[in-house]
Amino acid sequence: MRSFVVTGGGRGVGRAVVERLLADGDVVVAVELDARALAWIGDHPAGERVIAVRGDACLEEVAEHAAVLAAEAAPLAGWVNNAAMFRDASLDTDDAATVLDLITSNVAAAVTGCAVAVKHYLAAGRAGAIVNVSSHQAQRPVRGALPYATAKAAIEGLTRAAAVDHGPAGIRVNAVALGSVQTERYQQFLAGRDAAAVAAVNAQMAELHPLGRIARAAEVADAVAYLLSDSASFVTGVVLPVDGGRAVRGPDPEEN
């Protein structure tokens, strides 16, 4: 049995990753800022193998607490930095401090998680894995999402640099770059729109992704589980697109 920490583990992609790792019989600590998003853990069939930690993943004391709980249950083998803040800002309408704060908030959670995980792996004298959750926007930003796209680009740089720095200790650091995913947040985005508007959004999403649909959260979780597993023992410094081909799709000038 091994243990894992998943930040932003209460809902969406984070919860899917938690559930996927639990299915393998391991222990998972889910870190989540919103206590309501952790309510499902109380009566989960995994029982004591799933542990809730409420707190801000940007804070080192929160991440350290999660690491200690995980390591007490079983050897700490993997860390998933999934926590993110979704808020848009623009250089022309917001002051620089606001934009910088939003960028920093997203990068800080990944840096904190990486730092705590690396130190625990080194102290235990064990190899370990880290997976950072990025986005297709790190390479192809969507208008209006500058802080988020900038932060995800920084997280991909962090992934490569940490892989180089800590590879000699057997610590692997990878990232998954996501397209659109079927989560509660996506459903909230559609809520309140009439049927025609929902159909239009779904058609647009299908067009953006060459596979013709957005991802299921469980599909992302499978990719994360692979990168954490021994099957990926010689994979590090990789940013793996899990986006149905969205990042490679370009406009076809002959379509219209």
Side-chain angles (χ1 to χ4, degrees), residues 81 110 114 130-134 152-165 172-176 236-240:
N81 289 309
C114 285
I130 297 170
V131 176
N132 296 319
V133 177
S134 184
K152 291 303 186 182
I155 287 170
E156 292 187 4
L158 168 69
T159 298
R160 290 185 284 268
V164 170
D165 282 355
R172 299 184 301 105
V173 189
N174 294 292
V176 288
T236 195
V238 165
V239 178
L240 175 65

Side-chain angles (χ1 to χ4, degrees), residues 65-106:
H65 179 52
V68 169
L69 290 175
E72 287 177 346
L76 180 62
W79 192 290
V80 181
N81 289 309
N82 170 70
M85 176 185 293
F86 301 97
R87 181 184 156 197
D88 294 340
S90 176
L91 296 176
D92 60 333
T93 58
D94 296 276
D95 58 75
T98 297
V99 175
L100 185 59
D101 183 60
L102 290 173
I103 294 169
T104 302
S105 295
N106 274 312

Side-chain angles (χ1 to χ4, degrees), residues 80-231:
V80 181
N81 289 309
N82 170 70
M85 176 185 293
F86 301 97
R87 181 184 156 197
D88 294 340
S90 176
L91 296 176
D92 60 333
T93 58
D94 296 276
D95 58 75
T98 297
V99 175
L100 185 59
D101 183 60
L102 290 173
I103 294 169
T104 302
S105 295
N106 274 312
V107 177
V111 171
T112 299
C114 285
V116 171
V118 164
K119 288 170 185 172
H120 271 262
Y121 296 149
L122 293 176
R126 294 175 51 87
I130 297 170
V131 176
N132 296 319
V133 177
S134 184
S135 166
H136 68 97
Q137 290 204 53
Q139 301 297 322
R140 297 180 64 182
V142 173
R143 283 195 181 102
L146 183 146
Y148 182 77
T150 302
K152 291 303 186 182
I155 287 170
E156 292 187 4
L158 168 69
T159 298
R160 290 185 284 268
V164 170
D165 282 355
H166 302 292
I171 299 171
R172 299 184 301 105
V173 189
N174 294 292
V176 288
L178 309 185
S180 297
V181 184
Q182 187 73 252
T183 62
E184 295 95 327
R185 182 170 176 267
Y186 185 78
Q187 292 301 322
Q188 288 169 3
F189 172 73
L190 295 178
R193 290 171 167 79
D194 60 29
V198 170
V201 170
N202 287 334
Q204 182 183 45
M205 289 295 104
E207 182 65 23
L208 286 171
H209 299 78
L211 288 183
R213 62 176 177 84
I214 66 174
R216 297 184 293 271
E219 293 174 310
V220 176
D222 283 339
V224 172
Y226 162 70
L227 290 173
L228 291 171
S229 75
D230 292 339
S231 295

